[in-house]
Amino acid sequence: MKVLVIEDDADAAAFVRGVLSEAGHFVDVCGDGETGLKQARGGEYDALVVDRMLPGLDGIRLVKGYRDAGGRAPALFLSALGEVDHRVEGLQAGGDDYLTKPYAPSELVARVEALGRRATGDIPTTKLAVGGLEMDLLGRTVHRDGQKIDLQPREFRLLEFLMRHAGQVVTRTMLLEKVWDYHFDPQTNVIDVHVSRLRGKIDKDFDRPLLHTVRGAGYRLEA
Amino acid sequence: MKIGSLPALTRTTTFRLALLHASIFILFSASLLAYLYYETAGQMSRQAEIELNNEFQELSGAYRGGIDRLNQAVTERSEARGKFFYLLLDSNGQKLSGDFDVLPAAAPEGQVVDVQFEYDARTVDGQPSRRTAEGRISRLSQGGVLMVAYDVGQLGEMNRRISDVVWRSAAVGFVLSLIGGVVISRSAAQRAEQLARTTEGVMAGDLTRRAPVHGSGDEFDRLSEQLNAMLGKLERLVISSRSAGDSIAHDLRSPLTRLRNRLEAGLKENAEDEPRVALAKSIDDVDGLLETFNAVLRLSRVQAGATGSFRRTNLKGIVDELAELYQPVCEEKQLTFTYQPEDDLYVMADTHLIAQAMSNLLDNGVKYTPEGGVLRLTAGHAANGDVELSVIDSGPGIPAQDRERVVERFVRLEQSRSEPGSGLGLSLASAVAEAHSGKLVLGDGDRSSGRLGLSAKLILPAA
């Protein structure tokens, strides 16, 4: 993926560049809002990573200006302001995701990659498939190798999210935010238990596991 | 008074209100006096005018019988010594009859003219006096001039007196209304001044200053109450951020020191841990620190009331979701999880905050209840209609004497020090309850296992 990072703090920018490059992405860095907006509009980027507080043009106005000018690359806000209203403000301005500083490197990579996928897979689909696992979004049914799997509504949404991001690492925080709409981290391993239940349903009777645990990061659904 | 202070005076509310008061007063009294004048002096002038018209009408009736008939009528009237004076001239300007010898004013160019003139008369005791008369001079159709006039001395005197009274009372009224205006507006201005002094005091750093409330419930009282409420909130905010700073300093110092020691130990030649292991542990320490830091900030914001968007919400949906989220982890830990919700749990709430508070309570329940225990989540109404959300466990519980203390920041009881967590869970739940004008109540929990158990109940006013 080709990612534009707009971040005025040189250390933070170098950190983001390092993390994303290591994950195999091409990264451009820009230090202020005005030039960032110009560069975003000029270059063909798969995703933007925008600091909320920038000198000159702040992140919110930057993304708004970019969207108004027809820019379509998904944008991820980085911000020290993590309250729900800040988040809502960011998403209303045209951002696609919001990550509160400080964050784990794996969280950043997972979210940027999830954004890239969204940009390319915007066409509404009615069926998802990973390996022998098939999900019918209209009929709300799941089959693996032709065998029907019964899921609770929440398990269905959890699996849907994992399948939409097949091959990518999905963090616990992402699952909490996107599947449960909670913006805090419970102190107990509630997510792990839900994922392991789901795993019991889709992997237990099959030779090859699809749902993998990525140590220190989260989960990945992969054939 | 210095000249330079004049513009300042004109800017004061007192001055403006007084001026407004005076202007309105003058407008009213001017209309009143104008009406009075119209009805008295004006009425007299109009009456004289009507009589003059009648006189002319009668004389012109006589003139229809010829100039001699008119002459006769004028002579009769003149001799009758009525209210009017007369003079009739022939076409050559010679006097035919009347009270004057010559026209006291110029004869009209056209047909008729109204005139005012002065003439010499003698008073009853023979003194000469100059008097004013008003009248009308008319040219006759067959040559000649007729004048009818009346003495305005009496009428004029009356008019003058009335207008004197009108002007004098206008002047007195203006002064009185200015004084009245000042008196009225002074009291308003004084209240405003009190408010200004309060805010000055607050700006100077005295956050305990409050505006006086007189108890009359007027606009100024309402303004004072609003201002006081605002100041109260401001004071809480300042105190809260101050104490957040204190807590951060106090409670982050020891983990930071531990981190520093660990890093230093990792640098040594014969370190106990591999450097990579030491680094990994350090990252865990830093993550813990950040978590605590975030929890402190969030708690401060909730306590300061600086967060949240409150909407009337049925909390059942939120608790349903939490039950669904926590049930698997309870089963994993072999806790008997039960959830008994009532419906229509309407509260003015920030759903994110409520969810987080309940999540904290559920986390505690799951963490502290030993395997095989009981965890009950309930959502219902109190007898007075308040909404109650509670988490009841069969864990070790909290002794009654410690219950108040554990809600304070960072307080963790000895037996729980080994568990992960920031020690802010109950504080946050309590702060969230307070932000919703409710409270967190701790009590005995499920004692079926012989332990004290804990019941943590959020009580929120129904909406």
Side-chain angles (χ1 to χ4, degrees), chain B residues 310 315 345-350 354 357-358 380-382 384-389 429-440 457-463:
Chain B
F310 289 74
L315 293 183
L345 306 171
Y346 283 98
V347 165
M348 287 300 294
D350 179 320
I354 297 286
M358 288 306 290
H381 296 274
N384 67 353
D386 282 353
V387 171
E388 290 184 344
L389 310 178
S430 170
V432 166
E434 276 168 26
H436 288 78
S437 310
K439 58 186 171 186
L440 172 71
K457 192 184 282 179
L458 278 189
I459 303 177
L460 307 166

PDB file of all heavy atoms in Angstrom, chain B residues 310 315 345-350 354 357-358 380-382 384-389 429-440 457-463:
ATOM      1  N   PHE B 310     -25.900  13.882  26.829  1.00  0.00           N
ATOM      2  CA  PHE B 310     -26.960  13.179  27.540  1.00  0.00           C
ATOM      3  C   PHE B 310     -28.238  13.164  26.710  1.00  0.00           C
ATOM      4  O   PHE B 310     -28.653  14.189  26.194  1.00  0.00           O
ATOM      5  CB  PHE B 310     -27.206  13.830  28.891  1.00  0.00           C
ATOM      6  CG  PHE B 310     -26.074  13.582  29.850  1.00  0.00           C
ATOM      7  CD1 PHE B 310     -24.872  14.232  29.705  1.00  0.00           C
ATOM      8  CD2 PHE B 310     -26.211  12.669  30.872  1.00  0.00           C
ATOM      9  CE1 PHE B 310     -23.820  13.983  30.567  1.00  0.00           C
ATOM     10  CE2 PHE B 310     -25.168  12.417  31.737  1.00  0.00           C
ATOM     11  CZ  PHE B 310     -23.965  13.074  31.582  1.00  0.00           C
ATOM     12  N   LEU B 315     -32.078   2.126  29.081  1.00  0.00           N
ATOM     13  CA  LEU B 315     -30.801   1.464  29.372  1.00  0.00           C
ATOM     14  C   LEU B 315     -30.854  -0.044  29.152  1.00  0.00           C
ATOM     15  O   LEU B 315     -29.831  -0.704  29.169  1.00  0.00           O
ATOM     16  CB  LEU B 315     -30.381   1.747  30.818  1.00  0.00           C
ATOM     17  CG  LEU B 315     -30.029   3.210  31.114  1.00  0.00           C
ATOM     18  CD1 LEU B 315     -29.564   3.353  32.550  1.00  0.00           C
ATOM     19  CD2 LEU B 315     -28.947   3.705  30.167  1.00  0.00           C
ATOM     20  N   LEU B 345     -36.334   1.247  31.080  1.00  0.00           N
ATOM     21  CA  LEU B 345     -35.389   1.843  32.030  1.00  0.00           C
ATOM     22  C   LEU B 345     -34.919   3.178  31.461  1.00  0.00           C
ATOM     23  O   LEU B 345     -33.776   3.327  31.046  1.00  0.00           O
ATOM     24  CB  LEU B 345     -34.207   0.904  32.246  1.00  0.00           C
ATOM     25  CG  LEU B 345     -34.590  -0.519  32.656  1.00  0.00           C
ATOM     26  CD1 LEU B 345     -33.379  -1.429  32.624  1.00  0.00           C
ATOM     27  CD2 LEU B 345     -35.203  -0.497  34.048  1.00  0.00           C
ATOM     28  N   TYR B 346     -35.841   4.151  31.440  1.00  0.00           N
ATOM     29  CA  TYR B 346     -35.504   5.414  30.788  1.00  0.00           C
ATOM     30  C   TYR B 346     -34.765   6.362  31.727  1.00  0.00           C
ATOM     31  O   TYR B 346     -35.192   6.603  32.859  1.00  0.00           O
ATOM     32  CB  TYR B 346     -36.753   6.095  30.235  1.00  0.00           C
ATOM     33  CG  TYR B 346     -37.204   5.448  28.957  1.00  0.00           C
ATOM     34  CD1 TYR B 346     -38.212   4.502  28.961  1.00  0.00           C
ATOM     35  CD2 TYR B 346     -36.569   5.765  27.761  1.00  0.00           C
ATOM     36  CE1 TYR B 346     -38.601   3.885  27.780  1.00  0.00           C
ATOM     37  CE2 TYR B 346     -36.950   5.156  26.581  1.00  0.00           C
ATOM     38  CZ  TYR B 346     -37.967   4.222  26.594  1.00  0.00           C
ATOM     39  OH  TYR B 346     -38.333   3.625  25.430  1.00  0.00           O
ATOM     40  N   VAL B 347     -33.653   6.859  31.222  1.00  0.00           N
ATOM     41  CA  VAL B 347     -32.770   7.720  32.006  1.00  0.00           C
ATOM     42  C   VAL B 347     -32.158   8.739  31.048  1.00  0.00           C
ATOM     43  O   VAL B 347     -31.972   8.445  29.872  1.00  0.00           O
ATOM     44  CB  VAL B 347     -31.644   6.858  32.647  1.00  0.00           C
ATOM     45  CG1 VAL B 347     -30.516   7.727  33.152  1.00  0.00           C
ATOM     46  CG2 VAL B 347     -32.195   5.999  33.773  1.00  0.00           C
ATOM     47  N   MET B 348     -31.900   9.956  31.566  1.00  0.00           N
ATOM     48  CA  MET B 348     -31.106  10.893  30.766  1.00  0.00           C
ATOM     49  C   MET B 348     -29.660  10.432  30.894  1.00  0.00           C
ATOM     50  O   MET B 348     -29.050  10.578  31.954  1.00  0.00           O
ATOM     51  CB  MET B 348     -31.229  12.321  31.314  1.00  0.00           C
ATOM     52  CG  MET B 348     -32.560  12.981  31.049  1.00  0.00           C
ATOM     53  SD  MET B 348     -32.933  13.126  29.295  1.00  0.00           S
ATOM     54  CE  MET B 348     -31.657  14.269  28.796  1.00  0.00           C
ATOM     55  N   ALA B 349     -29.114   9.875  29.813  1.00  0.00           N
ATOM     56  CA  ALA B 349     -27.827   9.215  29.987  1.00  0.00           C
ATOM     57  C   ALA B 349     -26.903   9.422  28.803  1.00  0.00           C
ATOM     58  O   ALA B 349     -27.337   9.636  27.678  1.00  0.00           O
ATOM     59  CB  ALA B 349     -28.048   7.720  30.187  1.00  0.00           C
ATOM     60  N   ASP B 350     -25.619   9.364  29.106  1.00  0.00           N
ATOM     61  CA  ASP B 350     -24.607   9.205  28.076  1.00  0.00           C
ATOM     62  C   ASP B 350     -24.326   7.711  28.022  1.00  0.00           C
ATOM     63  O   ASP B 350     -23.726   7.144  28.939  1.00  0.00           O
ATOM     64  CB  ASP B 350     -23.349   9.984  28.443  1.00  0.00           C
ATOM     65  CG  ASP B 350     -22.265   9.817  27.397  1.00  0.00           C
ATOM     66  OD1 ASP B 350     -22.095   8.686  26.890  1.00  0.00           O
ATOM     67  OD2 ASP B 350     -21.586  10.797  27.087  1.00  0.00           O
ATOM     68  N   ILE B 354     -22.324   5.060  30.695  1.00  0.00           N
ATOM     69  CA  ILE B 354     -23.020   4.017  31.461  1.00  0.00           C
ATOM     70  C   ILE B 354     -22.423   2.650  31.124  1.00  0.00           C
ATOM     71  O   ILE B 354     -22.142   1.841  32.018  1.00  0.00           O
ATOM     72  CB  ILE B 354     -24.530   4.025  31.133  1.00  0.00           C
ATOM     73  CG1 ILE B 354     -25.158   5.353  31.564  1.00  0.00           C
ATOM     74  CG2 ILE B 354     -25.225   2.850  31.795  1.00  0.00           C
ATOM     75  CD1 ILE B 354     -25.338   5.511  33.043  1.00  0.00           C
ATOM     76  N   ALA B 357     -19.101   2.309  32.852  1.00  0.00           N
ATOM     77  CA  ALA B 357     -19.230   2.115  34.299  1.00  0.00           C
ATOM     78  C   ALA B 357     -19.660   0.681  34.601  1.00  0.00           C
ATOM     79  O   ALA B 357     -19.082   0.009  35.463  1.00  0.00           O
ATOM     80  CB  ALA B 357     -20.245   3.104  34.865  1.00  0.00           C
ATOM     81  N   MET B 358     -20.673   0.200  33.862  1.00  0.00           N
ATOM     82  CA  MET B 358     -21.156  -1.160  34.103  1.00  0.00           C
ATOM     83  C   MET B 358     -20.088  -2.184  33.738  1.00  0.00           C
ATOM     84  O   MET B 358     -19.950  -3.218  34.395  1.00  0.00           O
ATOM     85  CB  MET B 358     -22.438  -1.409  33.299  1.00  0.00           C
ATOM     86  CG  MET B 358     -23.653  -0.677  33.820  1.00  0.00           C
ATOM     87  SD  MET B 358     -23.957  -0.991  35.562  1.00  0.00           S
ATOM     88  CE  MET B 358     -24.481  -2.707  35.526  1.00  0.00           C
ATOM     89  N   GLY B 380     -33.356  -2.796  36.804  1.00  0.00           N
ATOM     90  CA  GLY B 380     -34.767  -2.639  37.157  1.00  0.00           C
ATOM     91  C   GLY B 380     -35.041  -1.293  37.787  1.00  0.00           C
ATOM     92  O   GLY B 380     -34.245  -0.363  37.679  1.00  0.00           O
ATOM     93  N   HIS B 381     -36.203  -1.213  38.440  1.00  0.00           N
ATOM     94  CA  HIS B 381     -36.622   0.045  39.053  1.00  0.00           C
ATOM     95  C   HIS B 381     -36.594  -0.066  40.566  1.00  0.00           C
ATOM     96  O   HIS B 381     -36.932  -1.106  41.118  1.00  0.00           O
ATOM     97  CB  HIS B 381     -38.056   0.384  38.621  1.00  0.00           C
ATOM     98  CG  HIS B 381     -38.174   0.632  37.158  1.00  0.00           C
ATOM     99  ND1 HIS B 381     -37.936   1.852  36.587  1.00  0.00           N
ATOM    100  CD2 HIS B 381     -38.482  -0.203  36.146  1.00  0.00           C
ATOM    101  CE1 HIS B 381     -38.108   1.766  35.285  1.00  0.00           C
ATOM    102  NE2 HIS B 381     -38.440   0.523  34.980  1.00  0.00           N
ATOM    103  N   ALA B 382     -36.225   1.008  41.224  1.00  0.00           N
ATOM    104  CA  ALA B 382     -36.348   1.076  42.677  1.00  0.00           C
ATOM    105  C   ALA B 382     -37.800   1.416  43.014  1.00  0.00           C
ATOM    106  O   ALA B 382     -38.577   1.742  42.119  1.00  0.00           O
ATOM    107  CB  ALA B 382     -35.414   2.130  43.233  1.00  0.00           C
ATOM    108  N   ASN B 384     -38.983   3.993  44.315  1.00  0.00           N
ATOM    109  CA  ASN B 384     -39.335   5.378  43.980  1.00  0.00           C
ATOM    110  C   ASN B 384     -39.242   5.663  42.481  1.00  0.00           C
ATOM    111  O   ASN B 384     -39.319   6.817  42.067  1.00  0.00           O
ATOM    112  CB  ASN B 384     -38.447   6.343  44.756  1.00  0.00           C
ATOM    113  CG  ASN B 384     -36.993   6.267  44.319  1.00  0.00           C
ATOM    114  OD1 ASN B 384     -36.628   5.397  43.525  1.00  0.00           O
ATOM    115  ND2 ASN B 384     -36.173   7.154  44.821  1.00  0.00           N
ATOM    116  N   GLY B 385     -39.036   4.616  41.681  1.00  0.00           N
ATOM    117  CA  GLY B 385     -39.009   4.802  40.238  1.00  0.00           C
ATOM    118  C   GLY B 385     -37.620   4.982  39.656  1.00  0.00           C
ATOM    119  O   GLY B 385     -37.450   4.932  38.442  1.00  0.00           O
ATOM    120  N   ASP B 386     -36.611   5.219  40.497  1.00  0.00           N
ATOM    121  CA  ASP B 386     -35.246   5.342  39.988  1.00  0.00           C
ATOM    122  C   ASP B 386     -34.828   4.056  39.268  1.00  0.00           C
ATOM    123  O   ASP B 386     -35.327   2.973  39.580  1.00  0.00           O
ATOM    124  CB  ASP B 386     -34.263   5.579  41.142  1.00  0.00           C
ATOM    125  CG  ASP B 386     -34.306   7.023  41.625  1.00  0.00           C
ATOM    126  OD1 ASP B 386     -34.996   7.831  40.975  1.00  0.00           O
ATOM    127  OD2 ASP B 386     -33.655   7.316  42.643  1.00  0.00           O
ATOM    128  N   VAL B 387     -33.914   4.219  38.334  1.00  0.00           N
ATOM    129  CA  VAL B 387     -33.415   3.050  37.625  1.00  0.00           C
ATOM    130  C   VAL B 387     -32.198   2.503  38.368  1.00  0.00           C
ATOM    131  O   VAL B 387     -31.316   3.264  38.768  1.00  0.00           O
ATOM    132  CB  VAL B 387     -33.041   3.421  36.172  1.00  0.00           C
ATOM    133  CG1 VAL B 387     -32.312   2.277  35.495  1.00  0.00           C
ATOM    134  CG2 VAL B 387     -34.301   3.779  35.389  1.00  0.00           C
ATOM    135  N   GLU B 388     -32.201   1.201  38.590  1.00  0.00           N
ATOM    136  CA  GLU B 388     -31.085   0.572  39.303  1.00  0.00           C
ATOM    137  C   GLU B 388     -30.444  -0.492  38.424  1.00  0.00           C
ATOM    138  O   GLU B 388     -31.122  -1.398  37.954  1.00  0.00           O
ATOM    139  CB  GLU B 388     -31.583  -0.100  40.585  1.00  0.00           C
ATOM    140  CG  GLU B 388     -32.032   0.873  41.653  1.00  0.00           C
ATOM    141  CD  GLU B 388     -32.429   0.151  42.938  1.00  0.00           C
ATOM    142  OE1 GLU B 388     -32.634  -1.086  42.879  1.00  0.00           O
ATOM    143  OE2 GLU B 388     -32.523   0.812  43.962  1.00  0.00           O
ATOM    144  N   LEU B 389     -29.137  -0.359  38.235  1.00  0.00           N
ATOM    145  CA  LEU B 389     -28.384  -1.383  37.523  1.00  0.00           C
ATOM    146  C   LEU B 389     -27.394  -1.946  38.532  1.00  0.00           C
ATOM    147  O   LEU B 389     -26.654  -1.186  39.151  1.00  0.00           O
ATOM    148  CB  LEU B 389     -27.616  -0.777  36.349  1.00  0.00           C
ATOM    149  CG  LEU B 389     -28.398   0.129  35.398  1.00  0.00           C
ATOM    150  CD1 LEU B 389     -27.461   0.679  34.324  1.00  0.00           C
ATOM    151  CD2 LEU B 389     -29.539  -0.629  34.767  1.00  0.00           C
ATOM    152  N   ALA B 429     -16.925   4.406  38.036  1.00  0.00           N
ATOM    153  CA  ALA B 429     -18.353   4.079  38.090  1.00  0.00           C
ATOM    154  C   ALA B 429     -19.088   5.099  38.956  1.00  0.00           C
ATOM    155  O   ALA B 429     -20.167   5.566  38.608  1.00  0.00           O
ATOM    156  CB  ALA B 429     -18.544   2.664  38.635  1.00  0.00           C
ATOM    157  N   SER B 430     -18.458   5.458  40.068  1.00  0.00           N
ATOM    158  CA  SER B 430     -19.078   6.432  40.966  1.00  0.00           C
ATOM    159  C   SER B 430     -19.173   7.805  40.299  1.00  0.00           C
ATOM    160  O   SER B 430     -20.196   8.487  40.389  1.00  0.00           O
ATOM    161  CB  SER B 430     -18.245   6.516  42.247  1.00  0.00           C
ATOM    162  OG  SER B 430     -18.663   7.584  43.020  1.00  0.00           O
ATOM    163  N   ALA B 431     -18.090   8.197  39.614  1.00  0.00           N
ATOM    164  CA  ALA B 431     -18.099   9.500  38.940  1.00  0.00           C
ATOM    165  C   ALA B 431     -19.159   9.533  37.844  1.00  0.00           C
ATOM    166  O   ALA B 431     -19.843  10.538  37.648  1.00  0.00           O
ATOM    167  CB  ALA B 431     -16.728   9.790  38.348  1.00  0.00           C
ATOM    168  N   VAL B 432     -19.312   8.411  37.136  1.00  0.00           N
ATOM    169  CA  VAL B 432     -20.327   8.346  36.076  1.00  0.00           C
ATOM    170  C   VAL B 432     -21.720   8.489  36.685  1.00  0.00           C
ATOM    171  O   VAL B 432     -22.568   9.232  36.181  1.00  0.00           O
ATOM    172  CB  VAL B 432     -20.203   7.018  35.293  1.00  0.00           C
ATOM    173  CG1 VAL B 432     -21.434   6.784  34.427  1.00  0.00           C
ATOM    174  CG2 VAL B 432     -18.945   7.029  34.435  1.00  0.00           C
ATOM    175  N   ALA B 433     -21.932   7.792  37.820  1.00  0.00           N
ATOM    176  CA  ALA B 433     -23.237   7.898  38.487  1.00  0.00           C
ATOM    177  C   ALA B 433     -23.497   9.350  38.868  1.00  0.00           C
ATOM    178  O   ALA B 433     -24.586   9.875  38.645  1.00  0.00           O
ATOM    179  CB  ALA B 433     -23.262   7.000  39.720  1.00  0.00           C
ATOM    180  N   GLU B 434     -22.486  10.014  39.431  1.00  0.00           N
ATOM    181  CA  GLU B 434     -22.678  11.401  39.848  1.00  0.00           C
ATOM    182  C   GLU B 434     -22.923  12.319  38.659  1.00  0.00           C
ATOM    183  O   GLU B 434     -23.721  13.257  38.739  1.00  0.00           O
ATOM    184  CB  GLU B 434     -21.467  11.886  40.653  1.00  0.00           C
ATOM    185  CG  GLU B 434     -21.587  11.491  42.114  1.00  0.00           C
ATOM    186  CD  GLU B 434     -20.288  11.687  42.874  1.00  0.00           C
ATOM    187  OE1 GLU B 434     -19.489  12.542  42.454  1.00  0.00           O
ATOM    188  OE2 GLU B 434     -20.086  10.969  43.871  1.00  0.00           O
ATOM    189  N   ALA B 435     -22.242  12.033  37.549  1.00  0.00           N
ATOM    190  CA  ALA B 435     -22.460  12.843  36.352  1.00  0.00           C
ATOM    191  C   ALA B 435     -23.901  12.720  35.861  1.00  0.00           C
ATOM    192  O   ALA B 435     -24.408  13.591  35.173  1.00  0.00           O
ATOM    193  CB  ALA B 435     -21.491  12.417  35.246  1.00  0.00           C
ATOM    194  N   HIS B 436     -24.559  11.618  36.240  1.00  0.00           N
ATOM    195  CA  HIS B 436     -25.965  11.415  35.865  1.00  0.00           C
ATOM    196  C   HIS B 436     -26.898  11.779  37.025  1.00  0.00           C
ATOM    197  O   HIS B 436     -28.047  11.337  37.056  1.00  0.00           O
ATOM    198  CB  HIS B 436     -26.207   9.953  35.477  1.00  0.00           C
ATOM    199  CG  HIS B 436     -25.589   9.587  34.153  1.00  0.00           C
ATOM    200  ND1 HIS B 436     -24.244   9.337  34.001  1.00  0.00           N
ATOM    201  CD2 HIS B 436     -26.125   9.448  32.922  1.00  0.00           C
ATOM    202  CE1 HIS B 436     -23.989   9.050  32.754  1.00  0.00           C
ATOM    203  NE2 HIS B 436     -25.106   9.111  32.059  1.00  0.00           N
ATOM    204  N   SER B 437     -26.388  12.519  37.996  1.00  0.00           N
ATOM    205  CA  SER B 437     -27.161  12.902  39.191  1.00  0.00           C
ATOM    206  C   SER B 437     -27.604  11.675  39.977  1.00  0.00           C
ATOM    207  O   SER B 437     -28.621  11.694  40.651  1.00  0.00           O
ATOM    208  CB  SER B 437     -28.399  13.724  38.827  1.00  0.00           C
ATOM    209  OG  SER B 437     -28.051  14.767  37.970  1.00  0.00           O
ATOM    210  N   GLY B 438     -26.859  10.618  39.872  1.00  0.00           N
ATOM    211  CA  GLY B 438     -27.188   9.404  40.609  1.00  0.00           C
ATOM    212  C   GLY B 438     -26.054   9.064  41.553  1.00  0.00           C
ATOM    213  O   GLY B 438     -25.252   9.920  41.916  1.00  0.00           O
ATOM    214  N   LYS B 439     -26.015   7.793  42.004  1.00  0.00           N
ATOM    215  CA  LYS B 439     -24.920   7.411  42.897  1.00  0.00           C
ATOM    216  C   LYS B 439     -24.599   5.933  42.753  1.00  0.00           C
ATOM    217  O   LYS B 439     -25.395   5.153  42.229  1.00  0.00           O
ATOM    218  CB  LYS B 439     -25.266   7.743  44.344  1.00  0.00           C
ATOM    219  CG  LYS B 439     -26.526   7.073  44.825  1.00  0.00           C
ATOM    220  CD  LYS B 439     -26.895   7.559  46.216  1.00  0.00           C
ATOM    221  CE  LYS B 439     -28.275   7.035  46.563  1.00  0.00           C
ATOM    222  NZ  LYS B 439     -28.802   7.542  47.807  1.00  0.00           N
ATOM    223  N   LEU B 440     -23.408   5.595  43.240  1.00  0.00           N
ATOM    224  CA  LEU B 440     -22.984   4.200  43.272  1.00  0.00           C
ATOM    225  C   LEU B 440     -23.092   3.740  44.713  1.00  0.00           C
ATOM    226  O   LEU B 440     -22.543   4.373  45.614  1.00  0.00           O
ATOM    227  CB  LEU B 440     -21.536   4.082  42.780  1.00  0.00           C
ATOM    228  CG  LEU B 440     -20.902   2.699  42.951  1.00  0.00           C
ATOM    229  CD1 LEU B 440     -21.515   1.700  41.984  1.00  0.00           C
ATOM    230  CD2 LEU B 440     -19.397   2.769  42.735  1.00  0.00           C
ATOM    231  N   LYS B 457     -24.243  -1.133  42.956  1.00  0.00           N
ATOM    232  CA  LYS B 457     -25.498  -0.721  42.335  1.00  0.00           C
ATOM    233  C   LYS B 457     -25.406   0.717  41.850  1.00  0.00           C
ATOM    234  O   LYS B 457     -25.066   1.621  42.618  1.00  0.00           O
ATOM    235  CB  LYS B 457     -26.613  -0.847  43.382  1.00  0.00           C
ATOM    236  CG  LYS B 457     -28.007  -0.720  42.819  1.00  0.00           C
ATOM    237  CD  LYS B 457     -29.039  -0.749  43.929  1.00  0.00           C
ATOM    238  CE  LYS B 457     -29.304  -2.164  44.435  1.00  0.00           C
ATOM    239  NZ  LYS B 457     -30.284  -2.155  45.535  1.00  0.00           N
ATOM    240  N   LEU B 458     -25.679   0.917  40.563  1.00  0.00           N
ATOM    241  CA  LEU B 458     -25.774   2.278  40.028  1.00  0.00           C
ATOM    242  C   LEU B 458     -27.228   2.709  40.141  1.00  0.00           C
ATOM    243  O   LEU B 458     -28.110   2.049  39.591  1.00  0.00           O
ATOM    244  CB  LEU B 458     -25.393   2.309  38.541  1.00  0.00           C
ATOM    245  CG  LEU B 458     -23.940   2.369  38.110  1.00  0.00           C
ATOM    246  CD1 LEU B 458     -23.881   2.611  36.609  1.00  0.00           C
ATOM    247  CD2 LEU B 458     -23.184   3.467  38.826  1.00  0.00           C
ATOM    248  N   ILE B 459     -27.473   3.788  40.864  1.00  0.00           N
ATOM    249  CA  ILE B 459     -28.846   4.293  40.990  1.00  0.00           C
ATOM    250  C   ILE B 459     -28.950   5.588  40.202  1.00  0.00           C
ATOM    251  O   ILE B 459     -28.218   6.544  40.468  1.00  0.00           O
ATOM    252  CB  ILE B 459     -29.205   4.536  42.471  1.00  0.00           C
ATOM    253  CG1 ILE B 459     -29.009   3.231  43.246  1.00  0.00           C
ATOM    254  CG2 ILE B 459     -30.637   5.030  42.598  1.00  0.00           C
ATOM    255  CD1 ILE B 459     -29.260   3.367  44.730  1.00  0.00           C
ATOM    256  N   LEU B 460     -29.813   5.596  39.208  1.00  0.00           N
ATOM    257  CA  LEU B 460     -29.918   6.754  38.317  1.00  0.00           C
ATOM    258  C   LEU B 460     -31.356   7.258  38.309  1.00  0.00           C
ATOM    259  O   LEU B 460     -32.290   6.463  38.247  1.00  0.00           O
ATOM    260  CB  LEU B 460     -29.515   6.351  36.891  1.00  0.00           C
ATOM    261  CG  LEU B 460     -28.148   5.677  36.776  1.00  0.00           C
ATOM    262  CD1 LEU B 460     -28.001   5.022  35.421  1.00  0.00           C
ATOM    263  CD2 LEU B 460     -27.043   6.680  37.015  1.00  0.00           C
ATOM    264  N   PRO B 461     -31.536   8.582  38.382  1.00  0.00           N
ATOM    265  CA  PRO B 461     -32.901   9.115  38.363  1.00  0.00           C
ATOM    266  C   PRO B 461     -33.598   8.809  37.039  1.00  0.00           C
ATOM    267  O   PRO B 461     -33.009   8.981  35.966  1.00  0.00           O
ATOM    268  CB  PRO B 461     -32.714  10.620  38.554  1.00  0.00           C
ATOM    269  CG  PRO B 461     -31.279  10.899  38.298  1.00  0.00           C
ATOM    270  CD  PRO B 461     -30.521   9.629  38.498  1.00  0.00           C
ATOM    271  N   ALA B 462     -34.835   8.333  37.135  1.00  0.00           N
ATOM    272  CA  ALA B 462     -35.595   7.998  35.930  1.00  0.00           C
ATOM    273  C   ALA B 462     -35.956   9.268  35.171  1.00  0.00           C
ATOM    274  O   ALA B 462     -36.071  10.343  35.758  1.00  0.00           O
ATOM    275  CB  ALA B 462     -36.862   7.243  36.315  1.00  0.00           C
ATOM    276  N   ALA B 463     -36.106   9.128  33.865  1.00  0.00           N
ATOM    277  CA  ALA B 463     -36.470  10.294  33.046  1.00  0.00           C
ATOM    278  C   ALA B 463     -37.676   9.934  32.190  1.00  0.00           C
ATOM    279  O   ALA B 463     -37.872   8.794  31.850  1.00  0.00           O
ATOM    280  CB  ALA B 463     -35.332  10.709  32.142  1.00  0.00           C
TER     281      ALA B 463
END
